[in-house]
Amino acid sequence: MNDSAIGRSWDEARTQLFSPDEIAESNLRVDLISELIKARRDQGISQKKLEELSGVKQPVIARMEKGYTDPQVETLLKVLAPLGKTLAIVPLNSSKK
């Protein structure tokens, strides 16, 4: 245990507060949105321009990117398509059997 003045480390607290499935789900969500932001920035596309290309309103894109909302799959697909990206179903690397 970390004896710092403010308590235990975030990793320790997280494993006590959340189940492994909740942590995995959160990590997946962060990875997905991080890739969306990276693709948009790599292509030099503003949120406003992505709105024009995708039909998804800029405030919705901003809320997605900030993690304030859990977008529907349809919305993600609309935003990803102009970036030349899509979602794929792939096996998870997991030690659970």
Side-chain angles (χ1 to χ4, degrees), residues 28 32 73 77 80 85-93:
L28 182 60
L32 175 65
V73 173
L77 292 172
L80 289 171
K85 305 286 184 179
T86 192
L87 295 177
I89 297 173
V90 297
L92 290 174
N93 294 330

Side-chain angles (χ1 to χ4, degrees), residues 1-2 6 12 18 21 24-25 28 30 32-33 36 39-40 42 53 56 66 69 71-72 87 90-91 93-94:
M1 171 148 173
N2 185 349
I6 59 172
E12 288 176 27
F18 303 104
D21 288 341
E25 183 180 328
L28 182 60
V30 168
L32 175 65
I33 296 304
L36 183 148
R40 181 179 64 74
D42 285 352
L53 297 170
V56 176
K66 290 182 179 184
T69 184
Q72 295 183 350
L87 295 177
V90 297
N93 294 330
S94 176

Side-chain angles (χ1 to χ4, degrees), residues 32-81:
L32 175 65
I33 296 304
S34 295
E35 286 298 319
L36 183 148
I37 294 168
K38 182 181 180 311
R40 181 179 64 74
R41 288 182 177 164
D42 285 352
Q43 295 180 37
I45 297 174
S46 68
Q47 290 179 350
K48 189 66 178 167
K49 182 65 177 177
L50 189 54
E51 172 186 23
E52 295 170 16
L53 297 170
S54 68
V56 176
K57 298 289 184 189
Q58 182 274 328
V60 173
I61 294 168
R63 285 192 301 270
M64 283 177 24
E65 288 188 1
K66 290 182 179 184
Y68 294 163
T69 184
D70 287 327
Q72 295 183 350
V73 173
E74 180 181 355
T75 303
L76 278 171
L77 292 172
K78 285 180 182 179
V79 171
L80 289 171

Side-chain angles (χ1 to χ4, degrees), residues 10 14-15 17-33 92-96:
W10 168 243
R14 184 171 75 155
T15 58
L17 293 171
F18 303 104
S19 72
D21 288 341
E22 289 171 321
I23 293 170
E25 183 180 328
S26 176
N27 290 344
L28 182 60
R29 196 171 25 254
V30 168
D31 291 346
L32 175 65
I33 296 304
L92 290 174
N93 294 330
S94 176
S95 60
K96 291 196 295 189

